[in-house]
């Protein structure tokens, strides 16, 4: 588990805001802390790291891509990142890795294949903020099943309007531009279900990024509601599966399931720190 946060504003000033946002989610990643800012573009990233892969400073975040075009603050784990590295090395034999982290694999994959194709190849859990220097665009993305949390929203008006994002609401609340106004329309859902259904949150104009979604934020969307795009959905997967029904017998189905479970667990055991298993149910 790591913690990510950041903001995008036309009136960016030098202050301690990003450090306050980082401090609010320190518990998510006590091993390392980092910030990155581009004052000309008006974007700032923060990161709290829980080191899993590549415990050295080479895995420090926020991280730049080799070309410098992309900067990412990323929370998650890409289970097939070694496989993706081999594929990237085949496509570009000149690639030079600076670390053993899956963060760098993510960046190189986006640089080589583009965002959506890279996401289609990734097996893992993640939520990240990505700045594209070429198009001056902030991109938020979330894994297929929504395992990693990500909150976002515009706050304020005029020159003080700011876009905030973070792993937890408390990171957003730490920004001086945040308006902690309770969304009374959501209260009915809270009392009915005992939780706030996504994409809503308890606060006005603050939302949860839905599973399998990408949100694009730039100067053109500063006065518009952010409408995330879906790159993966369960209904589409089911429809594709209907076209290729399994035709084997029960024994073959059992063997396939066992092989799948073994491979999945093996992938998730990739770690540079001690690991354990918690068996439930």
């Amino acid at each position: 588990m790591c913690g990510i946060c950041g903001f995008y504003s036309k009136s960016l000033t030098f202050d301690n805001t990003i450090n306050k946002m980082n401090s609010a989610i320190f518990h998510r990643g006590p091993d390392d802390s980092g910030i990155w800012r581009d004052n000309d573009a008006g974007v700032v990233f923060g990161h709290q790291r829980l080191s899993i892969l590549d415990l050295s400073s080479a895995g420090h975040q926020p991280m730049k891509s080799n070309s410098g075009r992309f900067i990412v603050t990323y929370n998650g784990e890409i289970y097939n990142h070694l496989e993706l590295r081999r594929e990237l090395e085949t496509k570009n034999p000149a690639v030079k890795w600076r670390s053993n982290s899956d963060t760098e694999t993510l960046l190189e994959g986006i640089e080589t294949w583009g965002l959506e194709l890279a996401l289609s190849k990734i097996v893992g859990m993640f939520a990240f903020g990505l700045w594209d220097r070429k198009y001056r665009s902030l991109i938020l993305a979330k894994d297929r099943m929504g395992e990693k949390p990500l909150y976002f929203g515009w706050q304020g008006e005029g020159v003080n309007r700011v876009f905030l994002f973070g792993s937890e609401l408390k990171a957003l609340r730490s920004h001086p531009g945040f308006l902690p106004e309770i969304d009374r329309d959501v209260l009915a859902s809270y009392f009915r279900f005992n939780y706030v259904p996504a994409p809503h949150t308890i606060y006005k104009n603050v939302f949860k990024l839905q599973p399998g979604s990408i949100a694009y934020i730039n100067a053109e969307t500063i006065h518009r509601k952010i409408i995330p795009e879906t790159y993966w959905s369960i209904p589409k997967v089911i429809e594709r599966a209907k076209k290729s029904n399994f035709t084997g017998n029960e024994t073959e189905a059992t063997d396939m399931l066992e092989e799948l479970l073994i491979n999945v667990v093996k992938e998730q055991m990739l770690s540079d720190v001690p690991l354990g298993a918690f068996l439930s149910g």
Side-chain angles (χ1 to χ4, degrees):
M1 180 172 72
C2 295
I4 67 172
C5 59
F7 56 95
Y8 175 53
S9 171
K10 283 187 172 182
S11 57
L12 187 63
T13 57
F14 288 95
D15 58 24
N16 199 39
T17 296
I18 193 62
N19 291 318
K20 292 177 181 177
M21 294 176 74
N22 262 356
S23 295
I25 52 174
F26 174 81
H27 59 282
R28 297 185 65 91
D31 294 332
D32 188 24
S33 180
I35 61 172
W36 172 86
R37 63 195 305 151
D38 184 332
N39 291 287
D40 292 332
V43 62
V44 183
F45 283 173
H47 190 269
Q48 288 295 145
R49 186 184 183 202
L50 181 68
S51 303
I52 302 295
L53 296 173
D54 195 337
L55 310 185
S56 73
S57 59
H60 178 78
Q61 290 192 56
M63 184 182 288
K64 291 183 184 179
S65 64
N66 280 312
S67 70
R69 173 180 170 179
F70 296 104
I71 298 89
V72 73
T73 180
Y74 153 79
N75 170 30
E77 191 172 350
I78 299 173
Y79 303 130
N80 64 334
H81 97 97
L82 294 179
E83 178 186 328
L84 294 178
R85 283 197 171 204
R86 289 191 289 271
E87 187 175 345
L88 287 164
E89 288 164 358
T90 300
K91 188 171 182 65
N92 179 18
V95 63
K96 293 183 179 180
W97 302 106
R98 298 164 292 164
S99 73
N100 296 316
S101 73
D102 54 346
T103 310
E104 188 180 5
T105 307
L106 170 66
L107 281 168
E108 190 64 32
I110 294 171
E111 187 112 52
T112 302
W113 297 312
L115 178 63
E116 292 200 25
L117 181 55
L119 292 180
S120 72
K121 292 175 178 284
I122 288 173
V123 177
M125 53 176 182
F126 58 85
F128 62 80
L130 181 77
W131 178 250
D132 184 345
R133 277 178 157 164
K134 181 177 180 179
Y135 293 107
R136 298 175 72 84
S137 180
L138 171 61
I139 302 159
L140 304 181
K142 195 170 184 178
D143 61 72
R144 294 173 179 85
M145 301 306 293
E147 190 168 345
K148 291 300 182 181
L150 190 54
Y151 300 86
F152 69 92
W154 286 107
Q155 296 282 289
E157 298 293 339
V159 295
N160 295 319
R161 194 158 171 79
V162 59
F163 181 85
L164 307 173
F165 72 91
S167 297
E168 298 185 22
L169 286 172
K170 61 180 66 176
L172 278 65
R173 282 181 58 95
S174 299
H175 192 285
F178 184 78
L179 303 173
E181 185 178 355
I182 299 296
D183 189 338
R184 296 188 179 277
D185 293 333
V186 171
L187 281 178
S189 295
Y190 176 75
F191 288 125
R192 181 178 180 183
F193 303 116
N194 286 325
Y195 76 100
V196 178
H200 305 287
T201 71
I202 198 66
Y203 296 115
K204 274 191 175 181
N205 302 316
V206 178
F207 305 93
K208 303 166 187 170
L209 188 63
Q210 294 275 54
S213 296
I214 306 170
Y216 296 90
I217 303 94
N218 52 45
E220 295 177 1
T221 62
I222 196 166
H223 294 298
R224 280 190 256 150
K225 181 179 178 181
I226 302 299
I227 302 176
E229 300 175 8
T230 301
Y231 70 86
W232 187 92
S233 70
I234 290 177
K236 288 181 180 179
V237 171
I238 293 172
E239 286 303 314
R240 286 199 300 268
K242 286 180 179 178
K243 298 176 183 177
S244 57
N245 288 333
F246 178 72
T247 57
N249 57 38
E250 184 176 345
T251 300
E252 290 171 327
T254 303
D255 291 342
M256 285 183 66
L257 177 60
E258 182 180 20
E259 182 181 0
L260 179 62
L261 287 172
I262 289 172
N263 289 336
V264 166
V265 172
K266 184 178 179 180
E267 282 185 339
Q268 296 192 23
M269 290 176 67
L270 185 65
S271 174
D272 291 334
V273 295
L275 56 85
F278 178 73
L279 305 179
S280 174

